[in-house]
Amino acid sequence: MKEVKIESVFQVYEGILELPEDLQELMQKAIEARQKAYAPYSKFYVGVALLLDNNEVVLGSNQENASYPSGLCAERTAIYYAGAQYPKAKILKMAITAASQLRTTLEPIPPCGACRQSISEYEIRQKSPIEMYFMGERGKVVRSYSLSNLLPLIFDKSQL
Ligand code: THU
């Protein structure tokens, strides 16, 4: 038996204003997308903005359903839209923000496990990293150099 250590490194920004200017703009778009979320059940509003290598910005927000599992997270709404609309474009950056109507969300909110798995499909397919930035309603922003940095020991098509 041997032990394997996997290390993930993240950058933590004190707030949006500490981000490079292009990222401030992308996060601002994610905040606007968040306001369009349809989340009457959880009252947890998530917004995403993707920057593609064709310069398009794709927005997404969570879309809930009375049949709870039929709803979809903001991250998957955005990447599936990007994949459907611009199948040849690479996703360069993803900005995520989440806010709850029930409390103030100050800690950075990372994408859920199912979203990480879904985003990883796109990162592997495009053969280049998707830079991830995530925050709560306001406050600190966390950067991950890639999706795989957020999801080590990933299940991917090479294992099928
Ligand atoms: N949600 C997202 O949109 N992204 C995540 O990564 C975590 C959760 C949504 C799903 C649901 O509409 C609400 O947040 C509460 O889970």
Side-chain angles (χ1 to χ4, degrees), residues 11-31:
Q11 288 71 45
V12 182
Y13 296 84
E14 278 311 305
I16 292 190
L17 294 178
E18 209 193 325
L19 290 171
E21 216 165 286
D22 61 326
L23 257 307
Q24 288 188 32
E25 281 170 28
L26 196 65
M27 191 56 91
Q28 202 51 52
K29 288 180 178 156
I31 291 170

Side-chain angles (χ1 to χ4, degrees), residues 38-39 42 44 46 62-64 72-75 109-112 115:
Y38 176 62
S42 70
F44 192 76
V46 187
N62 50 329
Q63 300 295 315
E64 297 188 346
L72 195 64
C73 290
E75 293 87 336
I109 306 293
C112 76
C115 285

Side-chain angles (χ1 to χ4, degrees), residues 30-157:
I31 291 170
E32 284 161 28
R34 189 182 82 200
Q35 283 148 10
K36 294 183 186 151
Y38 176 62
Y41 305 106
S42 70
K43 305 200 185 313
F44 192 76
Y45 302 84
V46 187
V48 167
L50 303 179
L51 176 66
L52 309 186
D53 69 349
N54 61 6
N55 264 330
E56 293 287 340
V57 173
V58 168
L59 305 179
S61 57
N62 50 329
Q63 300 295 315
E64 297 188 346
N65 193 281
S67 171
Y68 293 178
S70 301
L72 195 64
C73 290
E75 293 87 336
R76 277 176 284 167
T77 304
I79 56 163
Y80 292 154
Y81 182 84
Q85 199 69 12
Y86 306 107
K88 292 199 173 122
K90 291 185 177 183
I91 303 167
L92 302 178
K93 295 167 200 227
M94 177 181 247
I96 308 168
T97 172
S100 171
Q101 215 177 75
L102 310 177
R103 67 180 185 94
T104 308
T105 307
L106 296 176
E107 73 274 21
I109 306 293
C112 76
C115 285
R116 292 183 207 197
Q117 179 68 34
S118 301
I119 300 162
S120 80
E121 183 79 21
Y122 288 74
E123 188 170 87
I124 290 165
R125 176 182 168 197
Q126 70 183 35
K127 299 191 181 75
S128 61
I130 300 175
E131 234 180 286
M132 311 281 299
Y133 290 83
F134 52 88
M135 64 180 286
E137 184 174 345
R138 51 179 197 268
K140 289 189 169 59
V141 183
V142 172
R143 171 187 183 262
S144 175
Y145 161 72
S146 65
L147 185 281
S148 62
N149 184 53
L150 262 182
L151 184 61
L153 301 181
I154 210 158
F155 175 75
D156 72 75
K157 63 179 178 339

